[in-house]
Amino acid sequence: SGLIVQSYLKESDRDLDDLLSWARSHRQRFTVRLVKGAYWDAERVWAIQRGWPLPVYLDKAETDLAFERQARRLLENHPFLDLACATHNVRTIAWVLENARQLKVPADRLEFQVLYGMADPLARALVDTAGRARDVIASAPLRIAAATNVGTYLLQSVLASFQSADPCRIELWIGRNPDVGERLTAPASHLSFA
């Protein structure tokens, strides 16, 4: 059992700190499923409609940096929290694997999760290299499912495999095949302050 942390939410670092504090104080280890986030558009619309501050990062590279920061924090604290890394992004997967190796994270404290039917070759490769991969069937509460377009969710998941893809600029990848170097670029290089 475990909880999900969505890296695209600006409060996720604080939430992760709270989870880690709870796990330490209760001496209870559990899994944190780290995802970049699936309902970016809906989160923005709900906040705008209600006059709330935007709860999400507006730049995909900021979300990618948050994901890596949070994954590193989970890996560093593997005695207390297990990481279920939910992504199709090959660069992110390689980054997590390398950090887990450097930190000597036991294999049973890390697993990778991919959407069922969307990344079968990736799931097989993860089983071969990391030893643990799980297919996940996406689901959502009726309120969210009714307010979001499932096609948009799936398209964002596919675009997440391209490191520099911005979900608001789908045309960036349509009709062209970016080279491997472009796909493996670190998230910070896509931010204006980098």
Side-chain angles (χ1 to χ4, degrees):
S1 66
L3 299 167
I4 296 174
V5 171
Q6 297 188 99
S7 294
Y8 75 160
L9 294 172
K10 294 175 183 177
E11 295 181 355
S12 293
D13 286 303
R14 188 187 72 217
D15 293 341
L16 194 54
D17 289 343
D18 291 345
L19 291 172
L20 181 56
S21 177
W22 188 93
R24 284 182 174 159
S25 67
H26 289 82
R27 298 175 192 251
Q28 180 67 44
R29 196 175 97 224
F30 57 91
T31 299
V32 173
R33 180 173 188 243
L34 189 62
V35 302
K36 291 186 180 180
Y39 302 105
W40 185 84
D41 294 319
E43 297 272 6
R44 286 187 63 239
V45 168
W46 293 331
I48 291 167
Q49 286 175 340
R50 291 165 177 84
W52 297 342
L54 292 178
V56 296
Y57 293 112
L58 296 181
D59 191 312
K60 183 181 181 304
E62 290 178 288
T63 297
D64 293 341
L65 283 171
F67 188 94
E68 290 183 3
R69 182 176 59 249
Q70 293 157 6
R72 176 75 187 199
R73 186 140 166 83
L74 286 162
L75 293 170
E76 289 170 342
N77 289 282
H78 64 80
F80 307 103
L81 297 172
D82 297 342
L83 170 58
C85 179
T87 183
H88 297 155
N89 187 301
V90 176
R91 185 205 169 276
T92 300
I93 290 168
W95 187 94
V96 168
L97 283 170
E98 177 57 21
N99 277 266
R101 185 192 65 76
Q102 290 174 10
L103 295 167
K104 298 177 176 42
V105 175
D108 67 340
R109 304 290 169 90
L110 170 64
E111 79 172 30
F112 291 90
Q113 297 180 349
V114 296
L115 287 172
Y116 176 77
M118 282 193 60
D120 295 338
L122 177 60
R124 284 191 297 276
L126 284 167
V127 169
D128 292 344
T129 57
R132 292 183 72 189
R134 182 184 312 230
D135 285 330
V136 176
I137 298 174
S139 63
L142 184 56
R143 164 178 83 80
I144 293 174
T148 60
N149 181 327
V150 174
T152 300
Y153 171 79
L154 294 174
L155 183 57
Q156 287 177 345
S157 296
V158 170
L159 289 175
S161 67
F162 298 106
Q163 188 65 27
S164 59
D166 180 342
C168 291
R169 301 199 53 211
I170 294 168
E171 74 278 4
L172 179 66
W173 299 109
I174 302 298
R176 70 183 200 90
N177 186 18
D179 66 24
V180 171
E182 189 175 356
R183 292 181 189 177
L184 298 179
T185 305
S189 66
H190 298 286
L191 296 173
S192 57
F193 62 83

